[in-house]
Amino acid sequence: HAQIHRPSMAPAMRPEQEASCKATEDHRSEFDAAKPPPFRIGDVRAAVPAHCWRKSPLRSLSYVARDVVVVAALAAAAWRADSWALWPLYWAVQGTMFWALFVLGHDCGHGSFSDSGTLNSVVGHLLHTFILVPYNGWRISHRTHHQNHGHIEKDESWHPWYRSPGKEGSHFNPSSDLFTPKERRDVIISTTCWFTMIALLIGMACVFGLVPVLKLYGVPYIVNVMWLDLVTYLHHHGHQDLPWYRGEEWSYLRGGLTTVDRDYGWINNIHHDIGTHVIHHLFPQIPHYHLVEATKAARPVLGRYYREPEKSGPLPMHLITVLLKSLRVDHFVSDVGDVVFYQTDPSLSGDKWTGTDKQK
């Protein structure tokens, strides 16, 4: 009898393997950022190792202790030296440390610091109040940002003290439409803490003088705000294939994929790997000390929807060029279309190039 040869059946692929294969196919074809990704958020979640989701309050508190000790040591050394040759260095380093404290409070707001809501709230209030951030007001609006990122009408971008342009309300006002009636008590608590810190700073200025307080705290605070502006901006700008969505084109996955990772060189460790922003946006529950590993595990699934960050030297000087270029060309998105990209206003850029005008 003639022997019949049948092709052997390949073993069934796991969902994450299937998604990885789809992402590989995406690499081989022309990439269109306006198209929905060929994978689901569950595929990305399945690729992240189980231990990356576990939170260690002791480990989280160890980072707080490290940063607080460094901040105190820097302030003590600057006060003792009191040299104008060293003050600029102190301002840059201490301002960066203030920013690191913000990132840890940010983790408290997401619940990635620990599984204890009480611990998260206490630590978050202590850290954010010290750097004049109304913890709960910020936490609630930032949650809205994550839940609606990339949605033109619903996203909340960070601005010092105020809401996104065109939206009314304040992080300090419990009656703002940012907050539900149940959240107003939380906002009152954070606003009270903020005013308490202001009163403490005024008291210190009365005792020690205004200039010492400005040198020890005021200028580092401004550097911290500069970091917050810079990092927030660069995680959501600086690539011409970052779409914004309207209506049914938006989804949590598509919105999260329009964020960008950045490499900050030596500062990655100082500010707790906040540069690993894509996975953080998709899964803000992952502790910061697992974000790098989680990103590496998810990259095969994400394919070209993950935009590889440019490698940094010891200091992220390359990001200055990225920032300046983005400010020159990323001005607005079209009022027409459900998938739109940044365009350039020639009157602002000073050249004739109008940037990418893709829309769907």
Side-chain angles (χ1 to χ4, degrees):
H1 296 283
Q3 187 175 7
I4 299 176
H5 294 276
R6 294 184 176 88
S8 59
M9 298 294 292
M13 290 190 293
R14 296 192 301 273
E16 60 267 29
Q17 292 176 317
E18 182 180 353
S20 179
C21 288
K22 290 180 181 178
T24 301
E25 293 175 4
D26 173 61
H27 269 292
R28 295 170 180 167
S29 61
E30 184 178 353
F31 177 65
D32 185 355
K35 292 182 178 180
F39 50 84
R40 300 165 299 177
I41 193 168
D43 300 321
V44 186
R45 182 188 299 272
V48 176
H51 68 268
C52 288
W53 302 88
R54 300 190 190 110
K55 308 160 194 174
S56 168
L58 289 178
R59 185 170 182 180
S60 295
L61 286 169
S62 73
Y63 288 107
V64 174
R66 182 195 76 176
D67 289 358
V68 169
V69 167
V70 172
V71 167
L74 287 171
W79 180 265
R80 184 181 181 86
D82 194 16
S83 167
W84 281 106
L86 296 177
W87 279 117
L89 177 62
Y90 166 78
W91 294 331
V93 176
Q94 187 73 297
T96 302
M97 291 308 304
F98 280 18
W99 160 239
L101 294 179
F102 173 88
V103 175
L104 292 176
H106 157 274
D107 288 357
C108 293
H110 280 299
S112 61
F113 189 86
S114 77
D115 287 321
S116 169
T118 300
L119 180 62
N120 294 338
S121 182
V122 170
V123 176
H125 271 95
L126 290 172
L127 295 176
H128 275 193
T129 299
F130 176 72
I131 53 174
L132 294 177
V133 174
Y135 174 72
N136 279 326
W138 168 87
R139 174 182 62 83
I140 294 167
S141 71
H142 190 65
R143 179 189 64 200
T144 303
H145 163 65
H146 268 258
Q147 292 174 342
N148 298 280
H149 182 259
H151 194 294
I152 292 177
E153 287 83 19
K154 298 180 180 180
D155 195 1
E156 286 282 351
S157 299
W158 183 87
H159 288 257
W161 318 131
Y162 298 102
R163 295 186 66 186
S164 301
K167 297 183 179 181
E168 297 180 356
S170 166
H171 291 129
F172 298 91
N173 183 4
S175 299
S176 169
D177 60 5
L178 262 174
F179 314 118
T180 65
K182 292 182 179 180
E183 294 168 333
R184 289 174 180 172
R185 178 177 176 272
D186 292 338
V187 177
I188 292 172
I189 292 173
S190 295
T191 301
T192 302
C193 291
W194 188 89
F195 277 109
T196 301
M197 184 64 191
I198 289 291
L200 179 62
L201 290 171
I202 293 174
M204 292 178 65
C206 292
V207 174
F208 300 105
L210 178 61
V211 172
V213 172
L214 289 176
K215 290 194 295 186
L216 282 173
Y217 180 90
V219 180
Y221 168 78
I222 294 173
V223 173
N224 155 65
V225 174
M226 292 171 62
W227 268 114
L228 182 51
D229 280 340
L230 174 70
V231 171
T232 302
Y233 183 90
L234 289 177
H235 285 166
H236 304 286
H237 301 80
H239 272 269
Q240 292 180 13
D241 63 347
L242 295 178
W244 284 82
Y245 302 101
R246 292 186 176 94
E248 295 183 358
E249 287 290 347
W250 181 89
S251 70
Y252 180 83
L253 174 61
R254 296 184 78 180
L257 291 175
T258 63
T259 58
V260 183
D261 279 11
R262 298 293 185 186
D263 183 8
Y264 297 92
W266 286 347
I267 300 174
N268 286 331
N269 180 262
I270 295 173
H271 68 186
H272 309 291
D273 290 315
I274 194 67
T276 48
H277 204 66
V278 176
I279 285 297
H280 165 69
H281 241 278
L282 294 176
F283 309 116
Q285 308 88 352
I286 296 179
H288 75 265
Y289 41 83
H290 290 319
L291 285 174
V292 173
E293 181 181 1
T295 299
K296 290 180 180 178
R299 267 157 57 182
V301 177
L302 298 175
R304 291 179 66 181
Y305 287 87
Y306 177 79
R307 298 156 181 87
E308 197 73 33
E310 180 182 350
K311 291 296 181 183
S312 174
L315 296 176
M317 305 306 294
H318 69 290
L319 293 179
I320 296 176
T321 302
V322 176
L323 174 66
L324 293 178
K325 179 180 178 181
S326 179
L327 292 174
R328 187 172 62 87
V329 300
D330 296 336
H331 296 153
F332 70 96
V333 296
S334 173
D335 291 330
V336 179
D338 292 336
V339 182
V340 293
F341 295 77
Y342 277 112
Q343 298 183 42
T344 302
D345 183 344
S347 66
L348 297 176
S349 66
D351 57 30
K352 297 181 179 180
W353 182 58
T354 59
T356 179
D357 59 356
K358 294 183 288 183
Q359 64 184 47
K360 179 178 176 182

